């Protein structure tokens, strides 16, 4: 260590990217180094929890971290001061605590620096507010870590013995699996009920106004309740209603319009960011968090240098700092008309027990618009930043104004209705998509007679609850109080990795046979009636509340763990007496492996079914199951007979290719329809199930029947 370096302050962070950004912000008087995540943790090879000695964990140096540790120790010895700048959450606090142990720093000294955005202003403010390590937060992390280790390292071996080697169970993981499996059981047992939807297509006498009326009631008794069909349950009944209406005059009873406000949506927290990124961008929770982490840690912006672009992305708070609100209001007033700025700032209430030390997820500088950063960020960073920026700006804009119209029409004793919603003032909808219910509804006069143009009868069947998507699963976990912002992404990915669930063609989560088997077994012993109901959402939510209370210094972490362990061990002993579960044998396909000659079988993995050798693991031969879509290959279909098949990428995304691959290289992310473009002759594609065919070459689109086809 040179004299020049000896007077420096050592700042330790988790990631090299964050270290790079922070180093440029702090300048030459600081040395910034990254620990690359946790420096110490529990060993992977054994449980490492001393149950007899107050559940004391045995922390060791993380494998491969010896070089980093030695470098940090050397730098610490020659530094005037040591500051620990790991992330401002439980995991970050635990990292700081372990670094204290490694670097011989008293955790009670002012060694901790916390900032919620990596910007010069935030960092300089944080330097004025140095704090000790928060041991309550450390203890909450320890309690979670110990609980998860005890469950995982005792229950997983039980699954190995009773079902199959390599399986796992977890305190939160098993609850999430149970939610998915319970939904699947509901779907399997669901018995659809027939009902009929009857609509009357009507118009004004001069045919300048058109209406699509739904049959709602008979003699003031509703056919519907809370949007669900009640009474029209047969074709005979539907036919009679249609016949009765056809004989009646359609008379307008009431047309009313009520102006309503649509308040802006709040800025993002972790769960809602993951949900919207999945819905609008197709990002998995893990992908979303990885990209958000890179935006938080910072990029180099021309003219500004290194700067973190968003606030800390693991948060369940909706609080916004006053400076950020003022910045947003100034920006809105300069870019938009005065009516888009509300008279007072918009504030949003967070749920009870949210970590209010964190803000909501927002841009650190609202003047750094997505347009400015388009050439600074990569594609996925730019898309996610745009989502965050738009949502934040929208949250501080004026309410949208909508006109809610209701038209009630009488056909004898039958009541018909149409509703519509139209936009009066877009407000925050200028920045964030505002979804209207129905469209513009033409006005009508009371006692006005309408012409009946057509009566449509449509047979429908009630449907079970939909399978979870990644977004709706996270939403449900949050609503039920299971898990925390930092764990949602990991929970979902673990279920995929264990082969317990897979993503189907509709991008919904579907349990595999293995997942159902594991859940069935756990339910036998760990359901809501047991001493340790670890697959019960209420029990797991209660555990999360206890972790929060530890952080608030209202509970002792050892006592929380002990209380859980006593009930869990009793239940575990009962489960050990269970008989082994026989898993169904993989289905043979009637072919032999081309590499070893053993029978090929059909298996299920993370991304659905595939063909594999029955000799696994000695033979690792696999091949995909190709599903044709009934369309000839646009390149070789006419000459070589190639067919379009649907495949999955290594990341699980569907795409379309030729059955003759690799001889034919045809590939498309969008589904080919087998039709030709009327303008240029290229093959038409469909971008999603609801979209109409269009040409990827010239842009020609096929419109609905009765509408002109446009280019």
């Amino acid at each position: 260590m040179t004299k020049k370096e000896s007077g420096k302050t050592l700042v330790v962070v988790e990631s090299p990217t964050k270290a790079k950004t922070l180093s440029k912000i702090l300048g030459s008087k600081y040395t910034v180094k990254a620990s690359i995540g946790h420096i110490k943790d529990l060993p992977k090879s054994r449980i490492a929890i001393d149950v007899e000695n107050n559940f004391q964990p045995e922390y060791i140096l993380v494998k491969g971290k010896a070089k980093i540790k030695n470098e940090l120790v050397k730098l610490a010895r020659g530094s005037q001061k040591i500051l620990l700048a790991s992330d401002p959450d439980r995991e970050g606090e635990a990292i700081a605590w372990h670094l204290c142990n490694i670097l011989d720093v008293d955790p009670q000294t002012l060694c901790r620096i916390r900032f919620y955005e990596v910007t010069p202003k935030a960092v300089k403010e944080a330097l004025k507010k140095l704090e000790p390590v928060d041991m309550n937060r450390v203890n909450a992390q320890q309690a979670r870590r110990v609980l998860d280790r005890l469950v995982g390292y005792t229950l997983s071996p039980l699954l190995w013995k009773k079902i199959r080697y390599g399986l796992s169970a977890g305190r939160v993981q098993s609850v999430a699996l149970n939610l998915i499996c319970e939904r699947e059981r509901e779907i399997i047992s669901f018995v659809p009920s027939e009902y009929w939807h009857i609509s009357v297509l009507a118009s004004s006498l001069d045919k300048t106004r058109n209406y699509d009326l739904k049959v709602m009631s008979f003699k003031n008794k509703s056919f519907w309740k809370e949007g669900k069909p009640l009474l029209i349950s047969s074709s005979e009944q539907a036919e009679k209603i249609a016949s009765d209406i056809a004989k009646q005059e359609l008379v307008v009873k009431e047309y009313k319009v009520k102006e309503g406000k649509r308040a802006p949506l709040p800025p993002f927290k972790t769960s809602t960011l993951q949900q919207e990124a999945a819905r609008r961008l197709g990002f998995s929770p893990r992908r979303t968090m990885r990209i958000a982490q890179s935006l938080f840690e910072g990029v180099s912006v021309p003219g500004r240098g290194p700067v973190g672009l968003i606030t800390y992305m693991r948060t369940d708070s909706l609080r916004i700092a006053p400076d950020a609100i003022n910045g947003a209001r100034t920006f809105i007033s300069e870019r938009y008309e005065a009516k888009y700025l509300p008279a007072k700032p918009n504030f949003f209430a967070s749920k009870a027990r949210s970590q209010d030390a964190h803000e909501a997820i927002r841009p650190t500088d609202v003047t750094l618009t997505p347009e400015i950063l388009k050439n600074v960020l990569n594609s996925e960073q730019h898309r996610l930043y745009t989502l965050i920026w738009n949502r934040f700006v929208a949250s501080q804009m004026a309410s949208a104004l909508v006109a809610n119209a209701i038209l009630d029409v009488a056909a004898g004793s039958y009541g018909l209705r149409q509703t519509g919603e139209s936009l009066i003032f877009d407000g925050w909808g200028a920045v964030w998509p505002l979804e209207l219910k129905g469209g513009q509804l033409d006005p009508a006069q009371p006692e006005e007679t309408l012409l009946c143009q057509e009566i449509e009868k449509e047979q429908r069947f009630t449907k079970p609850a939909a399978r979870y998507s990644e977004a709706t699963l996270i939403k449900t976990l949050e609503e039920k109080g299971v898990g925390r912002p930092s764990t949602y992404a990991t929970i979902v990915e673990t279920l995929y990795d264990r082969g317990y669930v897979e993503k189907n063609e509709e991008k919904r989560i579907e349990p595999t046979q293995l997942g159902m088997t594991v859940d069935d077994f756990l339910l036998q012993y760990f359901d809501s009636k047991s001493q340790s109901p670890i697959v019960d959402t209420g029990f797991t939510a209660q555990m999360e509340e206890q972790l929060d209370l530890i952080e608030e210094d209202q509970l002792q972490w050892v006592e929380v763990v002990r209380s859980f362990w006593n009930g869990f061990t009793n239940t575990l002993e009962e489960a050990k007496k269970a008989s082994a579960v026989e898993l169904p044998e993989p289905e043979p396909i009637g072919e032999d492996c081309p590499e070893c000659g053993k029978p090929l079988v059909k298996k299920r993995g993370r991304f659905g079914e595939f063909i594999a050798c029955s000799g696994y693991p000695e033979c690792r031969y696999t091949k995909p199951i190709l599903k044709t879509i009934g369309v000839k290959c646009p390149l070789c279909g006419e000459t070589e007979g190639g067919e379009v098949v649907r495949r999955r990428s290594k990341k699980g995304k569907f795409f379309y290719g030729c059955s003759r691959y690799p001889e034919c290289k045809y590939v498309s992310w969008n589904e080919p329809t087998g039709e030709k473009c009327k303008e240029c002759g290229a093959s038409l594609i469909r971008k999603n199930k609801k979209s109409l065919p269009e040409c990827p070459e010239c842009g020609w689109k096929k419109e609905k029947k009765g509408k002109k086809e446009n280019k």
Side-chain angles (χ1 to χ4, degrees):
M1 185 70 62
T2 66
K3 290 182 179 180
K4 184 178 179 181
E5 294 173 320
S6 63
K8 289 186 177 183
T9 296
L10 173 64
V11 181
V12 187
V13 298
E14 297 110 317
S15 88
T17 303
K18 189 176 175 182
K20 184 179 178 181
T21 304
L22 202 58
S23 183
K24 291 180 180 178
I25 291 173
L26 290 171
S28 60
K29 293 182 179 180
Y30 294 82
T31 301
V32 187
K33 291 292 180 181
S35 65
I36 322 290
H38 281 272
I39 195 82
K40 295 182 84 173
D41 199 1
L42 299 172
K44 294 182 179 180
S45 58
R46 60 187 188 282
I47 193 168
I49 305 293
D50 191 344
V51 177
E52 304 299 325
N53 185 28
N54 289 327
F55 302 91
Q56 288 305 300
E58 179 193 343
Y59 296 113
I60 64 169
L61 191 70
V62 174
K63 189 176 180 180
K65 292 291 182 73
K67 185 178 178 180
I68 295 171
K69 174 208 166 186
N70 293 335
E71 184 180 8
L72 288 173
V73 169
K74 185 178 179 181
L75 288 168
R77 287 171 181 165
S79 298
Q80 188 180 49
K81 194 173 187 178
I82 300 170
L83 297 179
L84 307 172
S86 46
D87 285 345
D89 58 9
R90 290 175 188 170
E91 289 300 314
E93 212 67 26
I95 290 173
W97 181 57
H98 288 306
L99 284 168
C100 284
N101 178 264
I102 293 281
L103 304 178
D104 195 25
V105 175
D106 184 354
Q108 297 305 309
T109 60
L110 302 179
C111 60
R112 187 80 167 98
I113 176 173
R114 300 183 185 90
F115 41 84
Y116 301 91
E117 54 186 86
V118 191
T119 60
K121 181 182 177 181
V123 172
K124 289 173 184 177
E125 286 295 317
L127 285 169
K128 300 175 185 177
K129 301 176 182 178
L130 299 179
E131 299 173 293
V133 173
D134 187 337
M135 289 307 300
N136 291 327
R137 191 174 286 181
V138 171
N139 288 334
Q141 190 274 347
Q142 280 203 113
R144 182 197 65 77
R145 193 78 177 91
V146 169
L147 285 168
D148 290 348
R149 175 57 64 100
L150 290 172
V151 173
Y153 275 57
T154 55
L155 198 50
S156 296
L158 178 66
L159 296 181
W160 302 352
K161 292 179 181 179
K162 304 301 180 181
I163 302 176
R164 194 177 80 186
Y165 182 78
L167 302 181
S168 73
R171 186 179 57 86
V172 179
Q173 169 196 324
S174 297
V175 174
L177 175 62
N178 179 249
L179 286 172
I180 295 166
C181 291
E182 283 299 317
R183 178 62 55 84
E184 193 68 21
R185 293 184 187 103
E186 290 174 19
I187 293 170
I188 293 170
S189 62
F190 182 80
V191 180
S193 299
E194 179 187 11
Y195 73 97
W196 286 77
H197 178 274
I198 304 174
S199 57
V200 178
L201 305 180
S203 71
S204 58
L205 294 177
D206 60 4
K207 298 184 179 180
T208 59
R209 294 172 280 127
N210 295 299
Y211 303 96
D212 186 357
L213 302 162
K214 182 191 292 184
V215 179
M216 300 295 294
S217 63
F218 176 67
K219 292 182 178 180
N220 295 320
K221 186 176 182 180
S222 179
F223 288 126
W224 298 77
K225 185 178 181 180
E226 298 177 353
K228 297 180 180 179
L230 294 177
L231 297 178
I232 311 177
S233 57
S234 68
S235 61
E236 293 80 12
Q237 189 181 6
E239 187 62 44
K240 183 180 185 307
I241 293 171
S243 177
D244 289 348
I245 292 174
K247 300 171 185 175
Q248 302 294 327
E249 194 174 48
L250 303 181
V251 182
V252 175
K253 290 302 179 185
E254 186 178 33
Y255 176 84
K256 58 183 180 183
V257 179
K258 185 179 179 181
E259 188 175 296
K261 283 187 177 181
R262 289 277 198 93
L265 298 170
F268 284 130
K269 54 184 178 178
T270 303
S271 59
T272 53
L273 175 62
Q274 292 175 348
Q275 290 162 38
E276 285 300 306
R279 191 160 75 96
R280 298 183 184 277
L281 307 179
F283 290 176
S284 69
R286 177 173 285 183
R287 184 181 179 188
T288 297
M289 296 309 290
R290 173 179 58 77
I291 302 166
Q293 183 82 39
S294 71
L295 295 173
F296 168 72
E297 292 177 347
V299 299
S300 183
V301 179
R304 302 201 186 199
V307 60
L309 295 178
I310 65 170
T311 53
Y312 192 55
M313 62 287 161
R314 294 184 180 90
T315 177
D316 53 5
S317 173
L318 297 177
R319 183 178 63 83
I320 306 172
D323 285 352
I325 290 177
N326 293 333
R329 289 178 62 83
T330 300
F331 179 86
I332 293 165
S333 65
E334 292 175 352
R335 175 168 286 202
Y336 298 93
E337 297 174 41
K339 61 183 180 180
Y340 284 90
L341 184 68
K344 296 180 179 179
N346 297 324
F347 296 98
F348 304 91
S350 302
K351 287 186 176 181
R353 299 205 173 279
S354 63
Q355 305 296 305
D356 203 53
H358 300 184
E359 283 188 65
I361 304 169
R362 61 167 177 83
T364 58
D365 185 348
V366 73
T367 65
L368 285 174
T369 65
E371 293 80 13
I372 291 174
L373 297 175
K374 189 167 181 66
N375 296 322
V376 176
L377 304 175
N378 62 38
S379 175
E380 60 180 13
Q381 286 176 326
H382 187 261
R383 292 172 72 193
L384 190 67
Y385 181 78
T386 301
L387 200 72
I388 294 168
W389 189 93
N390 286 348
R391 182 69 166 245
F392 171 66
V393 173
S395 76
Q396 293 306 308
M397 296 180 77
S399 295
L401 297 179
V402 296
N404 295 301
I406 299 175
L407 173 65
D408 283 317
V409 176
S413 300
Y414 292 93
L416 288 64
R417 172 174 284 189
Q418 183 180 352
T419 60
E421 191 172 56
S422 56
L423 194 63
I424 300 173
F425 169 58
D426 57 356
W428 57 273
V431 179
W432 187 264
L434 195 154
E435 298 172 359
L436 297 176
K437 300 172 184 176
Q440 180 81 38
L441 180 58
D442 290 331
Q445 297 299 319
E447 302 306 317
E448 177 185 357
T449 300
L450 302 179
L451 287 174
C452 179
Q453 301 290 348
E454 187 179 355
I455 300 176
E456 294 182 344
K457 306 183 299 297
E458 183 185 0
Q459 184 188 33
R460 297 182 179 180
F461 292 91
T462 55
K463 295 180 179 180
R467 293 184 176 95
Y468 292 104
S469 64
E470 291 175 345
T472 57
L473 178 61
I474 289 171
K475 184 180 181 181
T476 303
L477 290 171
E478 183 187 33
E479 289 174 347
K480 293 181 178 294
V482 177
R484 282 295 182 263
S486 59
T487 64
Y488 295 138
T490 305
I491 293 167
V492 175
E493 289 298 319
T494 300
L495 295 176
Y496 286 134
D497 292 340
R498 296 291 180 268
Y500 292 163
V501 302
E502 62 185 24
K503 195 179 294 185
N504 65 19
E505 297 173 5
E506 287 76 37
K507 297 184 178 180
R508 297 279 174 167
I509 303 174
E510 197 171 332
T512 62
Q513 180 62 54
L514 178 62
M516 293 289 286
T517 301
V518 169
D519 186 59
D520 284 338
F521 180 83
L522 293 176
L523 277 175
Q524 288 184 44
Y525 299 96
F526 299 93
D527 66 358
S528 59
K529 300 176 183 177
S530 77
Q531 293 186 54
S532 183
I534 62 169
V535 294
D536 179 66
T537 55
F539 177 79
T540 306
Q542 186 181 29
M543 291 297 301
E544 296 291 351
E545 288 181 5
Q546 290 180 333
L547 295 178
D548 291 340
L549 291 171
I550 294 170
E551 185 170 339
E552 296 166 12
D553 199 22
Q554 296 185 41
L555 287 176
Q556 298 298 309
W557 79 267
V558 172
E559 294 308 312
V560 170
V561 174
R562 180 177 286 112
S563 176
F564 168 83
W565 182 245
N566 290 338
F568 179 73
T569 50
N570 291 335
T571 307
L572 190 67
E573 289 303 314
E574 288 299 313
K576 288 179 179 178
K577 301 173 185 176
S579 302
V581 178
E582 293 288 333
L583 283 173
E585 292 292 326
E587 179 186 348
I589 67 168
E591 298 178 25
D592 292 333
C593 175
E595 294 186 1
C596 73
K598 291 183 178 179
L600 293 176
V601 294
K602 189 184 294 184
K603 289 188 174 182
R604 299 187 76 89
R606 175 173 179 177
F607 301 122
E609 291 184 326
F610 66 99
I611 293 169
C613 180
S614 59
Y616 178 88
E618 289 76 18
C619 179
R620 296 180 177 270
Y621 174 81
T622 62
K623 70 175 184 178
I625 295 175
L626 301 179
K627 294 183 179 180
T628 61
I629 64 170
V631 173
K632 290 183 178 180
C633 174
L635 292 183
C636 74
E638 298 297 334
T639 56
E640 303 293 337
E643 292 186 77
V644 176
V645 296
R646 184 164 58 185
R647 302 174 182 267
R648 279 187 188 263
S649 70
K650 291 182 178 180
K651 294 184 177 180
K653 188 176 178 180
F654 284 108
F655 68 97
Y656 300 88
C658 182
S659 59
R660 295 182 59 250
Y661 178 87
E663 287 80 12
C664 177
K665 304 293 186 183
Y666 172 79
V667 66
S668 172
W669 288 113
N670 299 306
E671 180 183 359
T673 67
E675 302 169 274
K676 298 292 185 182
C677 175
K678 291 184 178 181
E679 296 287 334
C680 69
S683 296
L684 300 184
I685 54 96
R686 196 189 306 271
K687 290 188 174 181
N688 56 62
K689 285 194 171 185
K690 295 182 179 180
S691 68
L692 291 165
E694 60 183 88
C695 180
E697 301 296 329
C698 71
W700 179 86
K701 292 185 178 181
K702 186 176 181 179
E703 299 290 344
K704 290 182 178 178
K705 291 181 180 179
K707 293 186 179 181
K708 189 177 179 180
E709 294 172 344
N710 299 314
K711 190 172 180 179

